[in-house]
Amino acid sequence: MPEKCRVVVCGFDPMLVKAYVAANARALWWHISDELYHEFGMKPRMKVTGKLLKVYSGKTGEEVAAPNEDFEWECSKETGLVVLLPGEVIKKYMLTEFHFLELLIDTIDGKDVYPGKEVQSKKWWPSDKMKLGYTLDYIA
């Protein structure tokens, strides 16, 4: 079974994101939990699979999408701590560094995460901290 987590999207300001997505370069990412990082010996370019459950706006703290769709994303070429968001996902959900994602992480490098049980990440982003004091909108 998976690890359920709620993570903050990290990255660049929306104007740079627009340019990086157009150039098919790294624009946005999120950090895997320390527990999974150590347990799986995370390395650059490892594949992480799971399900994107929800997208939250940092402007309001409210849910803006509930895609419930499978994903296979890759860690950065420098570290296994950072999982990159593909450009098509960024465009589809109009993501910026001012969003939060709720995810189920099923496998890492083809190995099951927490077989036989579902675990909530210790780094679960609290609901009362999801409305940010400063945000910028997505630039299409």
Side-chain angles (χ1 to χ4, degrees), residues 6-140:
R6 187 184 296 150
V7 297
V8 64
V9 175
C10 301
F12 304 106
D13 71 67
M15 185 58 90
L16 284 175
V17 167
K18 179 181 179 180
Y20 287 176
V21 167
N24 199 28
R26 169 181 32 201
L28 298 175
W29 58 87
W30 54 276
H31 294 95
I32 199 137
S33 70
D34 293 342
E35 292 78 20
L36 292 181
Y37 178 80
H38 293 297
E39 183 175 332
F40 284 86
M42 299 296 294
K43 303 271 186 269
R45 302 202 180 212
M46 286 178 96
K47 302 273 191 221
V48 177
T49 68
K51 193 172 287 272
L52 173 58
L53 300 174
K54 297 179 184 177
V55 178
Y56 296 90
S57 165
K59 183 179 264 186
T60 63
E62 300 295 320
E63 180 183 312
V64 293
N68 203 33
E69 64 187 27
D70 294 332
F71 68 82
E72 180 180 282
W73 297 334
E74 188 173 79
C75 293
S76 76
K77 64 182 180 180
E78 297 85 13
T79 179
L81 183 60
V82 171
V83 182
L84 302 175
L85 292 170
E88 59 271 6
V89 172
I90 294 168
K91 289 189 286 188
K92 183 176 183 179
Y93 298 107
M94 298 187 291
L95 297 175
T96 67
E97 65 176 317
F98 306 106
H99 283 89
F100 299 89
L101 304 176
E102 195 167 304
L103 309 162
L104 285 177
I105 302 172
D106 292 322
T107 69
I108 296 175
D109 205 29
K111 298 177 191 114
D112 288 339
V113 173
Y114 301 124
K117 59 184 173 177
E118 181 177 300
V119 174
Q120 182 170 306
S121 174
K122 291 180 182 173
K123 287 189 171 180
W124 182 268
W125 198 277
S127 298
D128 63 339
K129 304 259 186 215
M130 289 181 27
K131 185 173 180 181
L132 303 173
Y134 175 81
T135 64
L136 293 172
D137 292 331
Y138 177 82
I139 298 173

